[in-house]
């Protein structure tokens, strides 16, 4: 059994930590415990990210409406997650420290496309999809210097806050959260909280760490709004459904 587990060591922890925790059963090794927890959290976040925004996508598709969702907010979030992923990829950081960004990029792009589509902006939706595809190819194929990617990562801080606050402002103006998925909002909030810890352990990059602190705060604001407007939102959506029927 131990030999079988040993074959998967590189995916999670160093060989030294494997021997300390699973062979010697030395659970007092603080560094190894932190490394193991960080890897486990990182892997869990990546696995969870494959589905984290699907509730939002399905909610839009089912309602055939993107009411209450700000395209600008989605676009800024897409820029933030794409620049973060391309920067981490270029720096060669462990995939477990940023892998969820790959899935979030695809899912957020789909949401942006649907927001435009259900706003009857068909041409803009297709242009958006084409331009984003080209931008992704350029960013992940070494065509942009690491220094430029670092600058984009720095710019993520105001972008993250602005994108989320635009959505928060729209929620406040509407008095409800519309088609915003509660499941997606809370999963993103918990994911960014966990990423603060894993980024400290696996990258030590102060820019990335601070970005996740800011993202956690911003997602927390949206999560608080979902709870605050819960009853009103349900009434608004039920009324909208009755109108369609």
């Amino acid at each position: 059994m131990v030999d079988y587990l040993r074959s998967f060591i590189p995916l999670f922890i160093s060989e030294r930590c494997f021997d300390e925790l699973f062979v010697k059963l030395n659970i007092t090794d603080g560094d190894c415990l932190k490394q193991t927890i960080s890897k486990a959290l990182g892997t869990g976040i990546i696995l969870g990210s494959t589905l984290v925004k699907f509730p939002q996508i399905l909610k839009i598709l089912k309602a055939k409406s993107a009411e209450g969702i700000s395209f600008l907010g989605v676009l800024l979030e897409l820029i933030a997650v794409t620049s973060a992923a391309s920067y981490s990829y270029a720096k060669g950081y462990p995939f477990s420290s940023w892998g969820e960004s790959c899935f979030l990029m695809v899912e957020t792009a789909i949401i942006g496309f649907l927001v435009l589509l259900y706003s009857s902006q068909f041409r803009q939706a297709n242009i958006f999809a084409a331009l984003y595809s080209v931008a992704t190819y350029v960013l992940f194929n070494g065509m942009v210097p690491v220094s430029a990617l670092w600058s984009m990562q720095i710019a993520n801080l105001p972008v993250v806050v602005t994108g989320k606050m635009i959505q928060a402002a729209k929620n406040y103006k509407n008095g409800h959260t519309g088609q915003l998925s509660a499941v997606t909002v809370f999963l993103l909030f918990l994911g960014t909280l966990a990423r603060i810890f894993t980024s400290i352990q696996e990258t030590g990059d102060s820019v990335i760490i601070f970005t996740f602190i800011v993202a956690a705060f911003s997602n927390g604001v949206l999560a608080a709004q979902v709870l605050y407007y819960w009853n009103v939102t349900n009434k608004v959506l039920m009324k909208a459904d009755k109108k369609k029927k």
Side-chain angles (χ1 to χ4, degrees):
M1 181 64 176
V2 172
D3 290 337
Y4 178 76
L5 290 174
R6 191 182 291 277
S7 63
F8 293 96
I9 290 175
L11 296 175
F12 298 100
I13 57 176
S14 66
E15 188 167 351
R16 184 190 77 79
C17 286
F18 180 85
D19 289 335
E20 287 292 328
L21 297 176
F22 297 100
V23 179
K24 299 177 183 179
L25 299 180
N26 177 20
I27 60 172
T28 61
D29 191 314
D31 289 337
C32 286
L33 279 175
K34 288 178 182 178
Q35 183 184 129
T36 304
I37 292 171
S38 177
K39 289 290 185 181
L41 278 174
T43 303
I45 292 170
I46 292 172
L47 292 175
S49 70
T50 61
L51 297 173
V52 70
K53 290 206 170 189
F54 268 88
Q56 180 67 81
I57 294 170
L58 293 175
K59 191 170 184 179
I60 294 173
L61 290 172
K62 183 180 178 181
K64 289 183 172 53
S65 167
E67 181 185 355
I69 299 177
S70 165
F71 174 73
L72 180 56
V74 173
L75 179 61
L76 289 175
E77 183 180 358
L78 183 60
I79 292 171
V81 73
T82 303
S83 60
S86 58
Y87 171 72
S88 295
Y89 176 77
K91 292 285 286 185
Y93 291 141
F95 187 71
S96 59
S97 71
W98 62 273
E100 79 280 0
S101 297
C102 294
F103 299 102
L104 291 176
M105 284 166 54
V106 175
E107 294 162 16
T108 305
I110 291 173
I111 291 171
F113 178 82
L114 291 175
V115 170
L116 290 174
L117 186 67
Y118 287 119
S119 299
S120 298
Q121 300 181 59
F122 308 110
R123 185 165 174 269
Q124 291 90 330
N126 290 324
I127 292 173
F128 163 74
L131 289 177
Y132 182 66
S133 298
V134 172
T136 302
Y137 178 82
V138 170
L139 289 170
F140 283 87
N141 279 274
M143 298 180 184
V144 180
V146 175
S147 58
L149 294 175
W150 182 84
S151 298
M152 289 173 62
Q153 182 64 28
I154 290 290
N156 257 354
L157 294 173
V159 169
V160 168
V161 174
T162 303
K164 297 295 182 180
M165 291 305 103
I166 286 174
Q167 182 63 61
K170 187 162 188 175
N171 294 339
Y172 178 76
K173 182 180 178 180
N174 292 339
H176 60 81
T177 56
Q179 296 296 341
L180 202 63
S181 168
V183 175
T184 293
V185 168
F186 283 106
L187 286 177
L188 286 173
F189 175 53
L190 294 174
T192 47
L193 282 178
R195 267 295 171 226
I196 296 171
F197 174 75
T198 62
S199 296
I200 292 171
Q201 292 300 312
E202 298 193 44
T203 71
D205 192 313
S206 58
V207 175
I208 291 179
I209 293 167
F210 192 62
T211 299
F212 278 118
I213 291 174
V214 171
F217 172 79
S218 302
N219 284 323
V221 171
L222 292 182
Q225 285 187 318
V226 168
L227 291 175
Y228 184 77
Y229 292 121
W230 188 274
N231 292 329
V232 178
T233 299
N234 286 336
K235 290 178 182 178
V236 169
L237 295 181
M238 285 176 64
K239 188 176 180 180
D241 284 340
K242 287 180 180 179
K243 283 184 178 180
K244 288 182 180 179
K245 294 177 181 178

